[in-house]
Amino acid sequence: MTARAKPPAAARTARQEERRRRILEATERLARRGGFDAVQMREVAELSEVALGTLYRYFPSKVHLLVATMHAQLEQLHAALHRHPPAAQDPPARVAETLMRAFRQLQREPLLADAMVRALNFGDRSVCGEVDAVSELTTAIVLDAMGMTGEPSPRRLSAVRVVGHTWHSALVSWLSGRASIAQVTEDVETVCTLLAADGTDSAGGASGAPG
């Protein structure tokens, strides 16, 4: 089983899922301590108590590891969104609230955030599947935050992609010291106005948000 052809989550055995969880937790711990450079395959294998060869079968590089870690972080945000939906009534405001909630979470762990973002930026064709999964999950989070009640229109999906790109760019700017938190907030809130209802699909009010 290679990392590019690994089975989907539904097809993994409980043992495989547990091993993968330990690997990602070890990656996260190392990145929190020392950022991108601290994530070394041998250290990840030792910390997660898996053989180095097994680790490479799951993830062929640290970039794969860190992109998968970003996906796991977003999965946690998505679950939290369902437990505690954003409070704003306006769909664009709910999305901005959700994305800033994610930003504040990353802000608390800047070394981890920098490591994951660097991995996303460094990813080549071999990591395209993992990067696409992060993008798809980001889209799902935005649509859920809006409280969508129908199939989004192509125009809506395009706007969602722009929102995701802007959020990512704002995060990079903050991590590099080129943008303040106030600037990030302003940029995110501004781009979210693109998500105002265009009459071709349905975005619910607060009652339509996932609960």
Side-chain angles (χ1 to χ4, degrees):
M1 180 181 67
T2 66
R4 295 189 67 186
K6 60 182 179 293
R12 297 185 195 120
T13 66
R15 184 176 180 181
Q16 288 172 329
E17 280 294 334
E18 170 61 18
R19 185 180 295 128
R20 189 175 189 274
R21 180 190 63 78
R22 295 202 315 271
I23 290 170
L24 293 181
E25 286 182 352
T27 302
E28 183 178 330
R29 287 173 62 186
L30 289 169
R32 282 180 174 180
R33 294 174 189 170
F36 185 84
D37 292 337
V39 178
Q40 300 297 326
M41 298 298 277
R42 187 171 298 279
E43 283 76 7
V44 171
E46 292 176 356
L47 193 57
S48 60
E49 299 180 339
V50 302
L52 185 59
T54 299
L55 174 60
Y56 275 108
R57 286 198 297 272
Y58 277 75
F59 302 100
S61 74
K62 64 189 289 181
V63 171
H64 290 80
L65 276 169
L66 285 163
V67 173
T69 301
M70 173 64 105
H71 191 274
Q73 293 277 311
L74 290 174
E75 285 182 323
Q76 293 175 19
L77 172 67
H78 204 187
L81 174 64
H82 282 265
R83 293 193 303 270
H84 305 289
Q89 293 291 320
D90 182 53
R94 289 204 302 274
V95 174
E97 179 184 337
T98 298
L99 293 179
M100 290 311 300
R101 186 190 301 178
F103 179 82
R104 286 190 293 271
Q105 179 178 328
L106 293 170
Q107 183 188 0
R108 289 192 288 270
E109 297 288 351
L111 291 178
L112 172 61
D114 181 69
M116 294 187 300
V117 169
R118 286 176 66 181
L120 284 170
N121 291 339
F122 290 165
D124 57 19
R125 290 180 179 273
S126 71
V127 201
C128 64
E130 289 83 352
V131 173
D132 287 347
V134 168
S135 297
E136 290 166 5
L137 184 52
T138 303
T139 295
I141 288 170
V142 171
L143 292 174
D144 276 2
M146 292 178 67
M148 292 297 302
T149 58
E151 188 70 20
S153 66
R155 179 179 176 185
R156 177 83 69 186
L157 285 175
S158 179
V160 168
R161 287 193 295 271
V162 172
V163 168
H165 294 329
T166 301
W167 180 77
H168 175 83
S169 178
L171 178 59
V172 170
S173 295
W174 177 78
L175 286 167
S176 63
R178 293 184 287 109
S180 66
I181 295 173
Q183 288 173 315
V184 169
T185 302
E186 182 177 0
D187 288 352
V188 169
E189 290 178 347
T190 298
V191 76
C192 285
T193 62
L194 292 175
L195 299 172
D198 61 11
T200 59
D201 55 19
S202 300
S207 61

